[in-house]
Amino acid sequence: QLQLVESGGGLAQSGGSLRLSCVASGFAVRHYAIGWFRRAPGKEREGVSCINPLGVVTDYVDSAKGRFTTSKLNTKNTVYLQMENLKPEDTATYYCAARGGRDQPTCADGATEGHYNVWGQGTQVTVSS
């Protein structure tokens, strides 16, 4: 069974940092494209970033560029989202998602939910001002 489990969310102060983890089971992240998404209260889910099997990252949220870093550790089958200088508008539930298997593991169209075929349950990030 293909599964993704996010962790690392919580409460942070404005200007603080959090590192989210996305642990995969049932498949290897080195063969998949992994995306990060977030859904803020009252808003639609938006793509944050995507990392392809070679480790090349595409970032999609202008306000997060320079503050969020996506990386992975294949030996731990884990993808990370390091978030620095957090702002209240970063408050959201954060999800990771995977694309691979019979689907080409690219980040082309990686900001689109339908691009992925495996989803995690999400982890809540709340940033206080």
Side-chain angles (χ1 to χ4, degrees):
Q1 183 179 0
L2 308 184
Q3 191 174 12
L4 293 168
V5 178
E6 303 95 335
S7 63
L11 180 62
Q13 291 188 337
S14 184
S17 302
L18 286 173
R19 188 178 78 161
L20 306 184
S21 299
C22 170
V23 179
S25 59
F27 67 99
V29 299
R30 67 179 181 272
H31 297 313
Y32 277 67
I34 307 295
W36 282 103
F37 285 75
R38 66 184 183 183
R39 177 181 281 143
K43 295 186 178 181
E44 293 186 353
R45 189 153 55 182
E46 67 173 346
V48 175
S49 66
C50 178
I51 184 166
N52 73 8
L54 296 178
V56 177
V57 177
T58 305
D59 295 308
Y60 302 114
V61 179
D62 287 340
S63 65
K65 291 178 181 178
R67 299 190 297 119
F68 289 9
T69 303
T70 300
S71 63
K72 65 175 180 171
L73 195 57
N74 290 335
T75 54
K76 291 193 173 183
N77 219 25
T78 301
V79 176
Y80 303 98
L81 182 65
Q82 178 70 43
M83 304 186 294
E84 305 283 351
N85 191 21
L86 283 163
K87 302 177 180 181
E89 52 263 42
D90 295 319
T91 295
T93 302
Y94 284 73
Y95 302 85
C96 61
R99 175 184 173 91
R102 295 181 178 180
D103 298 317
Q104 191 172 6
T106 72
C107 288
D109 209 24
T112 303
E113 292 185 48
H115 182 72
Y116 301 92
N117 45 30
V118 185
W119 285 85
Q121 82 291 344
T123 185
Q124 177 67 38
V125 171
T126 302
V127 184
S128 61
S129 57

